PDB file of all heavy atoms in Angstrom:
ATOM      1  N   GLY S  30     266.372  52.398 284.097  1.00 76.00           N
ATOM      2  CA  GLY S  30     266.476  52.703 282.674  1.00 76.00           C
ATOM      3  C   GLY S  30     267.924  52.678 282.238  1.00 76.00           C
ATOM      4  O   GLY S  30     268.835  52.831 283.046  1.00 76.00           O
ATOM      5  N   VAL S  31     268.111  52.461 280.938  1.00 79.00           N
ATOM      6  CA  VAL S  31     269.449  52.482 280.381  1.00 79.00           C
ATOM      7  C   VAL S  31     269.361  53.059 278.981  1.00 79.00           C
ATOM      8  O   VAL S  31     268.342  52.923 278.305  1.00 79.00           O
ATOM      9  CB  VAL S  31     270.072  51.070 280.338  1.00 79.00           C
ATOM     10  CG1 VAL S  31     269.348  50.172 279.366  1.00 79.00           C
ATOM     11  CG2 VAL S  31     271.563  51.133 280.001  1.00 79.00           C
ATOM     12  N   GLY S  32     270.418  53.726 278.557  1.00 73.00           N
ATOM     13  CA  GLY S  32     270.433  54.296 277.218  1.00 73.00           C
ATOM     14  C   GLY S  32     270.403  55.799 277.273  1.00 73.00           C
ATOM     15  O   GLY S  32     270.605  56.418 278.314  1.00 73.00           O
ATOM     16  N   VAL S  33     270.122  56.385 276.132  1.00 50.00           N
ATOM     17  CA  VAL S  33     270.120  57.844 276.010  1.00 50.00           C
ATOM     18  C   VAL S  33     268.698  58.302 275.761  1.00 50.00           C
ATOM     19  O   VAL S  33     268.136  58.061 274.693  1.00 50.00           O
ATOM     20  CB  VAL S  33     271.023  58.318 274.856  1.00 50.00           C
ATOM     21  CG1 VAL S  33     271.068  59.828 274.808  1.00 50.00           C
ATOM     22  CG2 VAL S  33     272.432  57.755 275.018  1.00 50.00           C
ATOM     23  N   ALA S  34     268.089  58.892 276.756  1.00 41.00           N
ATOM     24  CA  ALA S  34     266.715  59.359 276.612  1.00 41.00           C
ATOM     25  C   ALA S  34     266.711  60.802 276.148  1.00 41.00           C
ATOM     26  O   ALA S  34     267.594  61.598 276.460  1.00 41.00           O
ATOM     27  CB  ALA S  34     265.979  59.236 277.946  1.00 41.00           C
ATOM     28  N   GLY S  35     265.677  61.161 275.404  1.00 33.00           N
ATOM     29  CA  GLY S  35     265.492  62.538 274.995  1.00 33.00           C
ATOM     30  C   GLY S  35     266.589  63.064 274.100  1.00 33.00           C
ATOM     31  O   GLY S  35     267.017  64.203 274.221  1.00 33.00           O
ATOM     32  N   VAL S  36     267.094  62.246 273.186  1.00 32.00           N
ATOM     33  CA  VAL S  36     268.156  62.689 272.279  1.00 32.00           C
ATOM     34  C   VAL S  36     267.615  63.774 271.350  1.00 32.00           C
ATOM     35  O   VAL S  36     266.573  63.623 270.732  1.00 32.00           O
ATOM     36  CB  VAL S  36     268.683  61.503 271.450  1.00 32.00           C
ATOM     37  CG1 VAL S  36     269.738  61.975 270.475  1.00 32.00           C
ATOM     38  CG2 VAL S  36     269.262  60.446 272.378  1.00 32.00           C
ATOM     39  N   HIS S  56     265.957  61.492 263.978  1.00 83.00           N
ATOM     40  CA  HIS S  56     265.013  60.416 264.230  1.00 83.00           C
ATOM     41  C   HIS S  56     263.670  60.739 263.595  1.00 83.00           C
ATOM     42  O   HIS S  56     263.056  61.756 263.880  1.00 83.00           O
ATOM     43  CB  HIS S  56     264.835  60.192 265.736  1.00 83.00           C
ATOM     44  CG  HIS S  56     266.104  59.823 266.422  1.00 83.00           C
ATOM     45  ND1 HIS S  56     266.296  59.938 267.774  1.00 83.00           N
ATOM     46  CD2 HIS S  56     267.269  59.343 265.924  1.00 83.00           C
ATOM     47  CE1 HIS S  56     267.513  59.543 268.082  1.00 83.00           C
ATOM     48  NE2 HIS S  56     268.130  59.193 266.979  1.00 83.00           N
ATOM     49  N   THR S  59     260.017  56.411 266.439  1.00 97.00           N
ATOM     50  CA  THR S  59     260.482  55.532 267.510  1.00 97.00           C
ATOM     51  C   THR S  59     259.513  54.371 267.664  1.00 97.00           C
ATOM     52  O   THR S  59     258.311  54.570 267.845  1.00 97.00           O
ATOM     53  CB  THR S  59     260.608  56.280 268.848  1.00 97.00           C
ATOM     54  OG1 THR S  59     261.605  57.303 268.724  1.00 97.00           O
ATOM     55  CG2 THR S  59     261.002  55.324 269.966  1.00 97.00           C
ATOM     56  N   LEU S  60     260.062  53.180 267.568  1.00 98.00           N
ATOM     57  CA  LEU S  60     259.288  51.966 267.820  1.00 98.00           C
ATOM     58  C   LEU S  60     259.460  51.588 269.285  1.00 98.00           C
ATOM     59  O   LEU S  60     260.571  51.545 269.789  1.00 98.00           O
ATOM     60  CB  LEU S  60     259.795  50.818 266.938  1.00 98.00           C
ATOM     61  CG  LEU S  60     259.159  49.444 267.191  1.00 98.00           C
ATOM     62  CD1 LEU S  60     257.724  49.418 266.688  1.00 98.00           C
ATOM     63  CD2 LEU S  60     259.982  48.339 266.531  1.00 98.00           C
ATOM     64  N   VAL S 259     264.210  46.317 261.383  1.00 98.00           N
ATOM     65  CA  VAL S 259     264.580  46.190 262.794  1.00 98.00           C
ATOM     66  C   VAL S 259     264.494  44.712 263.149  1.00 98.00           C
ATOM     67  O   VAL S 259     263.575  44.027 262.692  1.00 98.00           O
ATOM     68  CB  VAL S 259     263.596  46.962 263.702  1.00 98.00           C
ATOM     69  CG1 VAL S 259     264.067  46.928 265.152  1.00 98.00           C
ATOM     70  CG2 VAL S 259     263.408  48.379 263.239  1.00 98.00           C
ATOM     71  N   ILE S 260     265.396  44.230 263.988  1.00 98.00           N
ATOM     72  CA  ILE S 260     265.313  42.840 264.444  1.00 98.00           C
ATOM     73  C   ILE S 260     265.341  42.817 265.969  1.00 98.00           C
ATOM     74  O   ILE S 260     266.276  43.291 266.607  1.00 98.00           O
ATOM     75  CB  ILE S 260     266.450  41.974 263.870  1.00 98.00           C
ATOM     76  CG1 ILE S 260     266.294  41.849 262.352  1.00 98.00           C
ATOM     77  CG2 ILE S 260     266.449  40.586 264.525  1.00 98.00           C
ATOM     78  CD1 ILE S 260     267.353  41.034 261.672  1.00 98.00           C
ATOM     79  N   VAL S 261     264.249  42.270 266.506  1.00 98.00           N
ATOM     80  CA  VAL S 261     264.100  42.108 267.948  1.00 98.00           C
ATOM     81  C   VAL S 261     264.031  40.615 268.235  1.00 98.00           C
ATOM     82  O   VAL S 261     263.297  39.884 267.572  1.00 98.00           O
ATOM     83  CB  VAL S 261     262.830  42.804 268.460  1.00 98.00           C
ATOM     84  CG1 VAL S 261     262.682  42.612 269.962  1.00 98.00           C
ATOM     85  CG2 VAL S 261     262.846  44.284 268.105  1.00 98.00           C
ATOM     86  N   ILE S 295     271.228  42.313 265.131  1.00 98.00           N
ATOM     87  CA  ILE S 295     270.186  42.294 266.159  1.00 98.00           C
ATOM     88  C   ILE S 295     270.183  43.658 266.843  1.00 98.00           C
ATOM     89  O   ILE S 295     271.240  44.202 267.181  1.00 98.00           O
ATOM     90  CB  ILE S 295     270.443  41.174 267.187  1.00 98.00           C
ATOM     91  CG1 ILE S 295     270.295  39.802 266.522  1.00 98.00           C
ATOM     92  CG2 ILE S 295     269.499  41.285 268.374  1.00 98.00           C
ATOM     93  CD1 ILE S 295     270.716  38.650 267.413  1.00 98.00           C
ATOM     94  N   ASP S 296     268.992  44.207 267.052  1.00 98.00           N
ATOM     95  CA  ASP S 296     268.886  45.544 267.634  1.00 98.00           C
ATOM     96  C   ASP S 296     268.504  45.531 269.107  1.00 98.00           C
ATOM     97  O   ASP S 296     268.944  46.385 269.874  1.00 98.00           O
ATOM     98  CB  ASP S 296     267.873  46.366 266.837  1.00 98.00           C
ATOM     99  CG  ASP S 296     268.303  46.524 265.382  1.00 98.00           C
ATOM    100  OD1 ASP S 296     269.377  47.113 265.157  1.00 98.00           O
ATOM    101  OD2 ASP S 296     267.601  46.023 264.490  1.00 98.00           O
ATOM    102  N   ALA S 297     267.650  44.581 269.492  1.00 98.00           N
ATOM    103  CA  ALA S 297     267.212  44.521 270.890  1.00 98.00           C
ATOM    104  C   ALA S 297     266.826  43.085 271.221  1.00 98.00           C
ATOM    105  O   ALA S 297     266.382  42.328 270.351  1.00 98.00           O
ATOM    106  CB  ALA S 297     266.032  45.454 271.134  1.00 98.00           C
ATOM    107  N   ILE S 298     267.008  42.715 272.488  1.00 98.00           N
ATOM    108  CA  ILE S 298     266.681  41.369 272.955  1.00 98.00           C
ATOM    109  C   ILE S 298     265.850  41.467 274.230  1.00 98.00           C
ATOM    110  O   ILE S 298     266.292  42.063 275.222  1.00 98.00           O
ATOM    111  CB  ILE S 298     267.945  40.534 273.233  1.00 98.00           C
ATOM    112  CG1 ILE S 298     268.833  40.456 271.990  1.00 98.00           C
ATOM    113  CG2 ILE S 298     267.563  39.124 273.707  1.00 98.00           C
ATOM    114  CD1 ILE S 298     270.170  39.759 272.224  1.00 98.00           C
ATOM    115  N   ASN S 308     269.073  45.216 282.499  1.00 97.00           N
ATOM    116  CA  ASN S 308     268.788  46.298 281.564  1.00 97.00           C
ATOM    117  C   ASN S 308     270.124  46.925 281.162  1.00 97.00           C
ATOM    118  O   ASN S 308     270.632  47.812 281.825  1.00 97.00           O
ATOM    119  CB  ASN S 308     267.873  47.327 282.244  1.00 97.00           C
ATOM    120  CG  ASN S 308     267.317  48.349 281.267  1.00 97.00           C
ATOM    121  OD1 ASN S 308     267.549  48.271 280.065  1.00 97.00           O
ATOM    122  ND2 ASN S 308     266.573  49.309 281.787  1.00 97.00           N
ATOM    123  N   GLN S 309     270.702  46.430 280.082  1.00 97.00           N
ATOM    124  CA  GLN S 309     272.029  46.879 279.667  1.00 97.00           C
ATOM    125  C   GLN S 309     272.119  46.990 278.153  1.00 97.00           C
ATOM    126  O   GLN S 309     271.346  46.372 277.420  1.00 97.00           O
ATOM    127  CB  GLN S 309     273.108  45.903 280.152  1.00 97.00           C
ATOM    128  CG  GLN S 309     273.339  45.900 281.641  1.00 97.00           C
ATOM    129  CD  GLN S 309     274.521  45.023 282.033  1.00 97.00           C
ATOM    130  OE1 GLN S 309     275.355  44.683 281.194  1.00 97.00           O
ATOM    131  NE2 GLN S 309     274.596  44.665 283.308  1.00 97.00           N
ATOM    132  N   ILE S 310     273.104  47.772 277.726  1.00 97.00           N
ATOM    133  CA  ILE S 310     273.451  47.847 276.310  1.00 97.00           C
ATOM    134  C   ILE S 310     274.776  47.120 276.107  1.00 97.00           C
ATOM    135  O   ILE S 310     275.738  47.349 276.837  1.00 97.00           O
ATOM    136  CB  ILE S 310     273.527  49.307 275.838  1.00 97.00           C
ATOM    137  CG1 ILE S 310     272.111  49.898 275.783  1.00 97.00           C
ATOM    138  CG2 ILE S 310     274.205  49.402 274.485  1.00 97.00           C
ATOM    139  CD1 ILE S 310     272.050  51.357 275.441  1.00 97.00           C
ATOM    140  N   VAL S 311     274.783  46.209 275.150  1.00 97.00           N
ATOM    141  CA  VAL S 311     275.945  45.364 274.862  1.00 97.00           C
ATOM    142  C   VAL S 311     276.434  45.688 273.457  1.00 97.00           C
ATOM    143  O   VAL S 311     275.633  45.972 272.556  1.00 97.00           O
ATOM    144  CB  VAL S 311     275.558  43.871 274.977  1.00 97.00           C
ATOM    145  CG1 VAL S 311     276.698  42.975 274.526  1.00 97.00           C
ATOM    146  CG2 VAL S 311     275.141  43.557 276.414  1.00 97.00           C
ATOM    147  N   LYS S 318     278.140  47.740 266.787  1.00 97.00           N
ATOM    148  CA  LYS S 318     276.824  48.319 267.064  1.00 97.00           C
ATOM    149  C   LYS S 318     276.342  47.935 268.450  1.00 97.00           C
ATOM    150  O   LYS S 318     276.688  46.881 268.984  1.00 97.00           O
ATOM    151  CB  LYS S 318     275.809  47.859 266.010  1.00 97.00           C
ATOM    152  CG  LYS S 318     276.013  48.478 264.641  1.00 97.00           C
ATOM    153  CD  LYS S 318     274.853  48.120 263.708  1.00 97.00           C
ATOM    154  CE  LYS S 318     273.532  48.673 264.207  1.00 97.00           C
ATOM    155  NZ  LYS S 318     272.418  48.397 263.264  1.00 97.00           N
ATOM    156  N   LYS S 319     275.507  48.816 269.005  1.00 98.00           N
ATOM    157  CA  LYS S 319     274.948  48.596 270.323  1.00 98.00           C
ATOM    158  C   LYS S 319     273.671  47.763 270.217  1.00 98.00           C
ATOM    159  O   LYS S 319     272.883  47.925 269.283  1.00 98.00           O
ATOM    160  CB  LYS S 319     274.629  49.922 271.012  1.00 98.00           C
ATOM    161  CG  LYS S 319     275.791  50.905 271.049  1.00 98.00           C
ATOM    162  CD  LYS S 319     276.980  50.348 271.828  1.00 98.00           C
ATOM    163  CE  LYS S 319     278.115  51.369 271.903  1.00 98.00           C
ATOM    164  NZ  LYS S 319     279.317  50.823 272.552  1.00 98.00           N
ATOM    165  N   VAL S 320     273.482  46.876 271.197  1.00 98.00           N
ATOM    166  CA  VAL S 320     272.289  46.033 271.281  1.00 98.00           C
ATOM    167  C   VAL S 320     271.703  46.192 272.673  1.00 98.00           C
ATOM    168  O   VAL S 320     272.411  46.073 273.678  1.00 98.00           O
ATOM    169  CB  VAL S 320     272.624  44.553 271.018  1.00 98.00           C
ATOM    170  CG1 VAL S 320     271.356  43.709 271.016  1.00 98.00           C
ATOM    171  CG2 VAL S 320     273.381  44.383 269.714  1.00 98.00           C
ATOM    172  N   LEU S 321     270.406  46.440 272.742  1.00 98.00           N
ATOM    173  CA  LEU S 321     269.724  46.636 274.016  1.00 98.00           C
ATOM    174  C   LEU S 321     269.186  45.303 274.530  1.00 98.00           C
ATOM    175  O   LEU S 321     268.482  44.587 273.809  1.00 98.00           O
ATOM    176  CB  LEU S 321     268.577  47.636 273.842  1.00 98.00           C
ATOM    177  CG  LEU S 321     267.684  47.903 275.058  1.00 98.00           C
ATOM    178  CD1 LEU S 321     268.496  48.507 276.203  1.00 98.00           C
ATOM    179  CD2 LEU S 321     266.547  48.854 274.665  1.00 98.00           C
ATOM    180  N   LEU S 322     269.519  44.956 275.782  1.00 98.00           N
ATOM    181  CA  LEU S 322     269.018  43.745 276.428  1.00 98.00           C
ATOM    182  C   LEU S 322     268.246  44.138 277.684  1.00 98.00           C
ATOM    183  O   LEU S 322     268.775  44.868 278.536  1.00 98.00           O
ATOM    184  CB  LEU S 322     270.160  42.803 276.837  1.00 98.00           C
ATOM    185  CG  LEU S 322     270.799  41.911 275.773  1.00 98.00           C
ATOM    186  CD1 LEU S 322     271.645  42.728 274.818  1.00 98.00           C
ATOM    187  CD2 LEU S 322     271.650  40.826 276.441  1.00 98.00           C
ATOM    188  N   ARG S 334     260.306  47.958 278.630  1.00 98.00           N
ATOM    189  CA  ARG S 334     260.036  48.873 277.509  1.00 98.00           C
ATOM    190  C   ARG S 334     261.355  49.143 276.796  1.00 98.00           C
ATOM    191  O   ARG S 334     262.335  49.563 277.426  1.00 98.00           O
ATOM    192  CB  ARG S 334     259.433  50.183 278.013  1.00 98.00           C
ATOM    193  CG  ARG S 334     259.297  51.252 276.935  1.00 98.00           C
ATOM    194  CD  ARG S 334     258.601  52.482 277.475  1.00 98.00           C
ATOM    195  NE  ARG S 334     258.554  53.562 276.510  1.00 98.00           N
ATOM    196  CZ  ARG S 334     257.857  54.685 276.666  1.00 98.00           C
ATOM    197  NH1 ARG S 334     257.135  54.879 277.775  1.00 98.00           N
ATOM    198  NH2 ARG S 334     257.863  55.627 275.732  1.00 98.00           N
ATOM    199  N   MET S 335     261.377  48.884 275.501  1.00 98.00           N
ATOM    200  CA  MET S 335     262.578  49.121 274.700  1.00 98.00           C
ATOM    201  C   MET S 335     262.215  50.105 273.584  1.00 98.00           C
ATOM    202  O   MET S 335     261.439  49.774 272.685  1.00 98.00           O
ATOM    203  CB  MET S 335     263.095  47.803 274.125  1.00 98.00           C
ATOM    204  CG  MET S 335     263.489  46.806 275.203  1.00 98.00           C
ATOM    205  SD  MET S 335     264.270  45.277 274.595  1.00 98.00           S
ATOM    206  CE  MET S 335     262.853  44.424 273.924  1.00 98.00           C
ATOM    207  N   ASP S 336     262.725  51.305 273.689  1.00 98.00           N
ATOM    208  CA  ASP S 336     262.479  52.338 272.681  1.00 98.00           C
ATOM    209  C   ASP S 336     263.603  52.305 271.654  1.00 98.00           C
ATOM    210  O   ASP S 336     264.783  52.495 271.986  1.00 98.00           O
ATOM    211  CB  ASP S 336     262.385  53.720 273.323  1.00 98.00           C
ATOM    212  CG  ASP S 336     261.087  53.897 274.103  1.00 98.00           C
ATOM    213  OD1 ASP S 336     260.023  53.588 273.534  1.00 98.00           O
ATOM    214  OD2 ASP S 336     261.142  54.314 275.268  1.00 98.00           O
ATOM    215  N   ILE S 337     263.227  52.051 270.402  1.00 98.00           N
ATOM    216  CA  ILE S 337     264.184  51.889 269.314  1.00 98.00           C
ATOM    217  C   ILE S 337     264.001  53.036 268.312  1.00 98.00           C
ATOM    218  O   ILE S 337     263.025  53.062 267.554  1.00 98.00           O
ATOM    219  CB  ILE S 337     263.982  50.533 268.618  1.00 98.00           C
ATOM    220  CG1 ILE S 337     264.090  49.388 269.651  1.00 98.00           C
ATOM    221  CG2 ILE S 337     264.991  50.345 267.499  1.00 98.00           C
ATOM    222  CD1 ILE S 337     263.762  48.030 269.087  1.00 98.00           C
ATOM    223  N   PRO S 338     264.902  54.012 268.322  1.00 97.00           N
ATOM    224  CA  PRO S 338     264.759  55.168 267.432  1.00 97.00           C
ATOM    225  C   PRO S 338     265.166  54.826 266.003  1.00 97.00           C
ATOM    226  O   PRO S 338     266.171  54.155 265.769  1.00 97.00           O
ATOM    227  CB  PRO S 338     265.696  56.211 268.035  1.00 97.00           C
ATOM    228  CG  PRO S 338     266.730  55.401 268.741  1.00 97.00           C
ATOM    229  CD  PRO S 338     266.064  54.141 269.204  1.00 97.00           C
ATOM    230  N   MET S 339     264.368  55.302 265.048  1.00 97.00           N
ATOM    231  CA  MET S 339     264.610  55.023 263.638  1.00 97.00           C
ATOM    232  C   MET S 339     264.911  56.307 262.892  1.00 97.00           C
ATOM    233  O   MET S 339     264.301  57.350 263.131  1.00 97.00           O
ATOM    234  CB  MET S 339     263.380  54.356 263.014  1.00 97.00           C
ATOM    235  CG  MET S 339     262.897  53.104 263.724  1.00 97.00           C
ATOM    236  SD  MET S 339     264.111  51.766 263.799  1.00 97.00           S
ATOM    237  CE  MET S 339     264.450  51.525 262.049  1.00 97.00           C
ATOM    238  N   VAL S 348     268.211  51.757 262.311  1.00 97.00           N
ATOM    239  CA  VAL S 348     268.178  51.943 263.757  1.00 97.00           C
ATOM    240  C   VAL S 348     269.341  52.826 264.192  1.00 97.00           C
ATOM    241  O   VAL S 348     270.484  52.604 263.788  1.00 97.00           O
ATOM    242  CB  VAL S 348     268.261  50.583 264.482  1.00 97.00           C
ATOM    243  CG1 VAL S 348     268.407  50.771 265.989  1.00 97.00           C
ATOM    244  CG2 VAL S 348     267.035  49.734 264.168  1.00 97.00           C
ATOM    245  N   ASP S 349     269.037  53.827 265.013  1.00 96.00           N
ATOM    246  CA  ASP S 349     270.097  54.628 265.611  1.00 96.00           C
ATOM    247  C   ASP S 349     270.484  53.954 266.933  1.00 96.00           C
ATOM    248  O   ASP S 349     269.859  54.195 267.972  1.00 96.00           O
ATOM    249  CB  ASP S 349     269.634  56.053 265.857  1.00 96.00           C
ATOM    250  CG  ASP S 349     270.760  56.937 266.403  1.00 96.00           C
ATOM    251  OD1 ASP S 349     271.858  56.401 266.680  1.00 96.00           O
ATOM    252  OD2 ASP S 349     270.540  58.147 266.564  1.00 96.00           O
ATOM    253  N   ASP S 350     271.500  53.115 266.876  1.00 96.00           N
ATOM    254  CA  ASP S 350     271.862  52.327 268.056  1.00 96.00           C
ATOM    255  C   ASP S 350     272.498  53.170 269.151  1.00 96.00           C
ATOM    256  O   ASP S 350     272.680  52.690 270.275  1.00 96.00           O
ATOM    257  CB  ASP S 350     272.797  51.178 267.665  1.00 96.00           C
ATOM    258  CG  ASP S 350     274.128  51.673 267.137  1.00 96.00           C
ATOM    259  OD1 ASP S 350     274.124  52.429 266.144  1.00 96.00           O
ATOM    260  OD2 ASP S 350     275.173  51.296 267.711  1.00 96.00           O
ATOM    261  N   THR S 351     272.813  54.426 268.850  1.00 95.00           N
ATOM    262  CA  THR S 351     273.389  55.288 269.884  1.00 95.00           C
ATOM    263  C   THR S 351     272.324  55.867 270.801  1.00 95.00           C
ATOM    264  O   THR S 351     272.649  56.513 271.800  1.00 95.00           O
ATOM    265  CB  THR S 351     274.168  56.455 269.254  1.00 95.00           C
ATOM    266  OG1 THR S 351     273.249  57.333 268.569  1.00 95.00           O
ATOM    267  CG2 THR S 351     275.228  55.950 268.287  1.00 95.00           C
ATOM    268  N   ALA S 352     271.060  55.669 270.463  1.00 95.00           N
ATOM    269  CA  ALA S 352     269.979  56.282 271.241  1.00 95.00           C
ATOM    270  C   ALA S 352     268.950  55.266 271.717  1.00 95.00           C
ATOM    271  O   ALA S 352     267.806  55.612 271.997  1.00 95.00           O
ATOM    272  CB  ALA S 352     269.305  57.375 270.410  1.00 95.00           C
ATOM    273  N   LEU S 353     269.336  54.003 271.810  1.00 97.00           N
ATOM    274  CA  LEU S 353     268.438  52.983 272.351  1.00 97.00           C
ATOM    275  C   LEU S 353     268.149  53.269 273.816  1.00 97.00           C
ATOM    276  O   LEU S 353     269.041  53.680 274.572  1.00 97.00           O
ATOM    277  CB  LEU S 353     269.078  51.603 272.228  1.00 97.00           C
ATOM    278  CG  LEU S 353     269.349  51.075 270.820  1.00 97.00           C
ATOM    279  CD1 LEU S 353     270.318  49.901 270.886  1.00 97.00           C
ATOM    280  CD2 LEU S 353     268.045  50.662 270.147  1.00 97.00           C
ATOM    281  N   VAL S 354     266.917  53.044 274.230  1.00 97.00           N
ATOM    282  CA  VAL S 354     266.537  53.302 275.616  1.00 97.00           C
ATOM    283  C   VAL S 354     265.767  52.104 276.164  1.00 97.00           C
ATOM    284  O   VAL S 354     264.771  51.682 275.580  1.00 97.00           O
ATOM    285  CB  VAL S 354     265.683  54.574 275.754  1.00 97.00           C
ATOM    286  CG1 VAL S 354     265.286  54.796 277.217  1.00 97.00           C
ATOM    287  CG2 VAL S 354     266.419  55.786 275.221  1.00 97.00           C
ATOM    288  N   GLY S 355     266.239  51.573 277.288  1.00 97.00           N
ATOM    289  CA  GLY S 355     265.532  50.505 277.976  1.00 97.00           C
ATOM    290  C   GLY S 355     264.982  50.996 279.296  1.00 97.00           C
ATOM    291  O   GLY S 355     265.668  51.685 280.057  1.00 97.00           O
ATOM    292  N   THR S 356     263.730  50.664 279.567  1.00 97.00           N
ATOM    293  CA  THR S 356     263.065  51.077 280.800  1.00 97.00           C
ATOM    294  C   THR S 356     262.331  49.867 281.374  1.00 97.00           C
ATOM    295  O   THR S 356     261.826  49.030 280.632  1.00 97.00           O
ATOM    296  CB  THR S 356     262.048  52.204 280.536  1.00 97.00           C
ATOM    297  OG1 THR S 356     262.682  53.261 279.806  1.00 97.00           O
ATOM    298  CG2 THR S 356     261.472  52.757 281.830  1.00 97.00           C
TER     299      THR S 356
END
Side-chain angles (χ1 to χ4, degrees):
V31 67
V33 183
V36 178
H56 300 161
T59 297
L60 174 72
V259 185
I260 294 180
V261 179
I295 293 172
D296 299 298
I298 303 174
N308 191 4
Q309 290 186 18
I310 289 175
V311 173
K318 289 188 63 177
K319 308 298 182 185
V320 184
L321 176 62
L322 280 72
R334 172 176 175 171
M335 299 186 286
D336 288 311
I337 304 174
M339 305 300 303
V348 173
D349 184 354
D350 65 302
T351 67
L353 296 164
V354 179
T356 308

